[in-house]
Amino acid sequence: VFPRLISFRILRSHTLCPLLPVTCDSSLMLRSRVLSTLRSHALRRSYSSIGVFPDLVKDKTVQLTNSRGVNVIHDPLLSKGTAFSLAERERLSLRGLVPPRCQEMDKQLARVKANLDACETPLSKFVFVTALQDRNETLFYRLLIDNLEELAGIIYTPTVGLACQKFHSIYRRSRGMYFSTQDRGAMSAMVYNWPQEEVDVIVVTDGSRVLGLGDLGANGMQIPIGKLSLYVAAGGIRPKAILPVVLDVGTNNKQLLHDPLYLGMGHPRLDNEDYYTFVDEWVQAVKGRWPNALIQFEDFKYPHAYNLLNKYRDEVTCFNDDIQSTSAITLAGILAALKARGLQQEQLSEERIVCVGAGSAGVGVCEGIIDCMVAQGRVRTREEAYSKIWMLDQHGLLGNAAISSNDPGRMAQGPDRPVKLDERQRNYAKMDLPDRISLEEVVERVKPTVLLGLTGVNGAFTEKAVRTMAQHTEKPVVFPLSNPDTHAECSAEDAFKWTNGKAIFASGSPFKDVTLPNGQVCRTNQCNNSYSFPGLGLGITVSRATKVTPSMFLETAKTIANLASPSQLKEGTLFPGVAQLRQVALAVGTRVCEVAFEEGVASSKLKEGEILQEVVKASMYEPEYVPLVYSP
């Protein structure tokens, strides 16, 4: 019977975006806009020379396993909890090992959700859902997809920041792989300790710059785990094909070094040549076993983040999330804000943009904006595009130290910067303005239309700066993007209060809408790369792209910027809700997949007559139980 079952196939529906109730008006509008976006890119055309890898299309009616008994129960990729059928219990030697009554997923979800709702704090909810993921991944992802708006902030920012800080004290079970300084010379063998033969997406961190929290060493593992959970839930990547990784090169966090419960290496960080040699050994080891895997570099400090990206972007399929994915969603927010202000997206080069933060995220975001200005053709040179952005670091404006300033505070800092600007930062230095002048003075002189925050410093946007900005522009665009919310440059309430409700607001972590004393309801937006990286990963995986190109990020931004309806833009809403991340990923993934084919970096094939959009949709993982069959 069972060999015959294996040959059967389920004919899956390719209906676009079936995940939200059809009775929801906003969902219907988003579906229409997604479909319109896909059609506008001519995604319904066929590629006669192209066939998708069949391993991504989830059409099997059964899953084979060589495990039996408690090994099935304790494998989160196989376990169904109480949902094993009587036939499965017999053939997998499970009789007597689980409660006798078979309960399907709907009842399991009801039980799990009731217990989740009883958790009183975000951290307790995090611990609860992590325990669920450790015992039953199918049920975990079903719960997550059905409750994305509620749980995205639990498994990722802002709660994941606290979970990272407490990782060594709430540790329960190992997930992912750790490569430490004691593993040098052994990494090419170590990668074979991972049980999965196929890995599509790897998220790797060295824990040196975790969100806005700084150096958390091996505690940073929660970031790759959280990112990959969103890759699965929003982007449809297969749970068995993801790998979270920490490169433990030590930590300079003295509190962790002196904590007896800390689980990472207890020495200062490697640096310079030792550091890059260590990372290169890991990259080569991963490349040797999983040459097609997408590597996402996550939370690497500046300048390591840029140096690693520049070294490996043409050698392996990789990108840096903080530099490139954050840039894509920020650009999407600015383009959508242009539409919300009644302007054309092609008028980007007419904006006056102040960016507070000159690290890897700040420079990366601004480089994406520059790329878009150049692509739009409204600037004659890239240097002209740089003139549209004013950048500040912790010392103040990147300016001209030779120009005298009457600011005694600046003069007290001394004539020179403690650290010289690198070649990327120098592109943003303004030779017509004094070096290190304050944000308030920059706003007074520049009169910006857009204010970006990527500092990790709560309160970096001062009341005076924001109020001054609001005096000179009708709808100031205020984006405090640092995570978690406790490190945002300003709160939503402050931004709307200081601008008298005029601001177009977006933040990295979620803030609730604000109601002013006059009754005006001010809409907030979450400008987080959870809107961008799941779709990027989906498109790259389906196309089997050999390289991640700049056009993929630009097209990601343009796709997301066009998803909000005119009525939503009018009230200040720039993006679809977090509950619709899966639909956003489908639109982004399809466009990224097409870019891969257009630029000649796709290695997968489509059969003649196949529709790219439908192939991407069919490739997305759906958490559902399938019959398990023992195959020794």
Side-chain angles (χ1 to χ4, degrees):
V1 173
F2 297 123
R4 185 177 301 172
L5 277 177
I6 296 172
S7 68
F8 292 165
R9 295 292 181 265
I10 298 173
L11 297 178
R12 299 181 59 88
S13 168
H14 299 304
T15 304
L16 182 66
C17 302
L19 296 172
L20 293 176
V22 295
T23 55
C24 175
D25 291 340
S26 63
S27 298
L28 286 172
M29 289 188 292
L30 178 61
R31 294 178 195 200
S32 176
R33 287 189 297 279
V34 170
L35 185 57
S36 176
T37 300
L38 298 178
R39 284 173 174 163
S40 70
H41 291 300
L43 294 177
R44 298 195 64 83
R45 70 173 180 265
S46 301
Y47 295 80
S48 58
S49 62
I50 316 174
V52 71
F53 280 86
D55 60 328
L56 294 179
V57 181
K58 308 311 296 173
D59 61 352
K60 292 185 178 179
T61 60
V62 299
Q63 181 175 353
L64 302 180
T65 177
N66 58 8
S67 297
R68 301 179 79 176
V70 294
N71 290 332
V72 173
I73 296 173
H74 294 159
D75 186 336
L77 290 170
L78 296 175
S79 181
K80 300 183 181 182
T82 60
F84 291 105
S85 68
L86 291 177
E88 285 176 320
R89 297 176 190 213
E90 184 65 39
R91 63 178 176 259
L92 297 174
S93 302
L94 296 176
R95 295 189 71 141
L97 299 182
V98 291
R101 187 171 182 178
C102 178
Q103 289 187 331
E104 292 297 335
M105 188 180 288
D106 58 341
K107 294 181 177 63
Q108 293 179 317
L109 286 169
R111 178 187 298 112
V112 168
K113 188 62 168 66
N115 287 316
L116 175 65
D117 292 341
C119 297
E120 296 182 354
T121 66
L123 185 61
S124 64
K125 290 178 184 288
F126 176 91
V127 172
F128 179 84
V129 296
T130 297
L132 175 62
Q133 185 179 19
D134 286 340
R135 67 177 184 269
N136 185 337
E137 292 206 17
T138 306
L139 185 60
F140 167 79
Y141 285 114
R142 185 75 270 162
L143 177 73
L144 181 54
I145 290 173
D146 291 350
N147 300 274
L148 257 177
E149 187 165 8
E150 175 186 354
L151 293 181
I154 299 297
I155 65 164
Y156 195 54
T157 182
T159 306
V160 73
L162 180 59
C164 284
Q165 292 174 310
K166 295 183 175 295
F167 175 74
H168 57 291
S169 58
I170 63 173
Y171 178 84
R172 298 290 190 278
R173 178 176 175 173
S174 184
R175 177 173 289 271
M177 290 195 74
Y178 298 81
F179 295 82
S180 72
T181 51
Q182 65 187 5
D183 300 318
R184 284 178 283 191
M187 295 184 198
S188 61
M190 285 175 60
V191 293
Y192 288 92
N193 292 340
W194 190 248
Q196 302 300 331
E197 290 297 324
E198 297 176 355
V199 170
D200 291 333
V201 181
I202 299 170
V203 177
V204 58
T205 184
D206 68 354
S208 58
R209 190 204 64 85
V210 176
L211 302 175
L213 303 172
D215 182 355
L216 294 183
N219 282 13
M221 174 56 95
Q222 296 290 13
I223 298 296
I225 292 173
K227 290 276 186 178
L228 287 165
S229 294
L230 288 176
Y231 263 116
V232 175
I237 305 298
R238 300 171 297 164
K240 69 176 183 180
I242 60 175
L243 174 57
V245 171
V246 160
L247 302 181
D248 188 354
V249 296
T251 178
N252 295 333
N253 186 321
K254 293 182 179 180
Q255 184 177 354
L256 292 178
L257 287 174
H258 292 95
D259 191 326
L261 296 182
Y262 178 59
L263 295 167
M265 298 300 292
H267 60 72
R269 287 186 168 274
L270 296 182
D271 207 350
N272 302 318
E273 190 61 31
D274 286 343
Y275 175 84
Y276 291 109
T277 300
F278 177 94
V279 176
D280 188 65
E281 181 184 349
W282 177 81
V283 171
Q284 301 310 321
V286 167
K287 180 181 175 183
R289 186 176 183 196
W290 301 294
N292 296 320
L294 167 65
I295 300 174
Q296 175 180 310
F297 292 106
E298 182 70 35
D299 286 348
F300 285 76
K301 71 177 183 179
Y302 193 85
H304 291 335
Y306 263 102
N307 293 341
L308 293 174
L309 178 62
N310 290 336
K311 181 175 182 178
Y312 295 112
R313 69 197 320 164
D314 294 324
E315 180 180 335
V316 296
T317 307
C318 69
F319 72 93
N320 183 291
D321 188 51
D322 307 291
I323 295 172
Q324 295 166 290
S325 180
T326 301
S327 174
I329 187 57
T330 305
L331 175 60
I334 295 173
L335 294 177
L338 282 168
K339 295 171 65 177
R341 292 156 57 200
L343 303 173
Q344 300 297 315
Q345 293 183 356
E346 291 72 22
Q347 294 177 266
L348 176 63
S349 60
E350 299 175 20
E351 295 295 282
R352 299 181 301 278
I353 301 170
V354 168
C355 177
V356 187
S360 57
V363 173
V365 162
C366 291
E367 286 296 315
I369 297 171
I370 297 296
D371 288 343
C372 186
M373 289 183 184
V374 173
Q376 289 178 345
R378 296 291 187 94
V379 292
R380 289 166 295 181
T381 63
R382 195 171 183 87
E383 287 67 31
E384 182 181 351
Y386 283 122
S387 72
K388 311 294 183 180
I389 299 177
W390 290 257
M391 184 175 289
L392 294 84
D393 64 6
Q394 67 269 37
H395 305 294
L397 180 72
L398 310 189
N400 187 348
I403 298 179
S404 173
S405 171
N406 295 323
D407 180 2
R410 187 193 72 86
M411 298 304 293
Q413 298 178 57
D416 298 316
R417 286 178 169 272
V419 179
K420 297 295 184 182
L421 302 181
D422 67 22
E423 59 181 347
R424 290 172 289 269
Q425 294 168 327
R426 285 196 294 270
N427 290 324
Y428 297 92
K430 296 294 178 281
M431 293 298 99
D432 59 337
L433 289 174
D435 191 40
R436 294 178 290 168
I437 60 176
S438 67
L439 174 62
E440 288 87 351
E441 187 171 352
V442 171
V443 171
E444 184 65 46
R445 293 188 183 212
V446 174
K447 300 177 177 55
T449 55
V450 178
L451 180 60
L452 306 176
L454 296 118
T455 65
V457 178
N458 180 257
F461 290 175
T462 63
E463 179 176 355
K464 180 180 178 182
V466 177
R467 286 192 180 277
T468 302
M469 180 184 181
Q471 293 173 4
H472 300 293
T473 183
E474 182 179 355
K475 289 186 176 181
V477 178
V478 181
F479 285 9
L481 299 175
S482 293
N483 293 310
D485 52 350
T486 54
H487 287 248
E489 286 73 15
C490 74
S491 67
E493 184 177 359
D494 285 340
F496 289 118
K497 176 183 176 182
W498 297 338
T499 62
N500 296 320
K502 299 193 304 179
I504 297 176
F505 179 90
S507 55
S509 291
F511 283 91
K512 293 181 179 179
D513 291 343
V514 175
T515 302
L516 298 179
N518 63 4
Q520 178 185 354
V521 177
C522 303
R523 302 297 182 189
T524 63
N525 299 274
Q526 187 176 3
C527 186
N528 188 281
N529 48 25
S530 58
Y531 280 94
S532 50
F533 72 77
L536 278 160
L538 174 63
I540 293 166
T541 299
V542 172
S543 66
R544 294 299 189 197
T546 57
K547 182 178 179 180
V548 185
T549 67
S551 297
M552 292 178 182
F553 297 99
L554 181 57
E555 292 302 315
T556 293
K558 291 162 66 175
T559 299
I560 298 172
N562 289 323
L563 291 180
S565 68
S567 61
Q568 289 175 319
L569 293 171
K570 186 176 181 180
E571 64 179 15
T573 299
L574 305 178
F575 308 116
V578 173
Q580 298 163 326
L581 283 180
R582 198 166 171 95
Q583 291 173 302
V584 174
L586 174 60
V588 170
T590 308
R591 181 62 187 131
V592 168
C593 198
E594 186 185 34
V595 171
F597 286 121
E598 290 173 347
E599 297 188 332
V601 297
S603 59
S604 64
K605 303 292 183 181
L606 278 175
K607 299 174 184 177
E608 186 169 357
E610 282 188 315
I611 299 170
L612 185 58
Q613 163 199 335
E614 294 183 354
V615 169
V616 174
K617 172 60 183 170
S619 299
M620 295 178 73
Y621 164 77
E622 279 282 354
E624 53 192 20
Y625 293 139
V626 296
L628 294 176
V629 175
Y630 177 64
S631 177

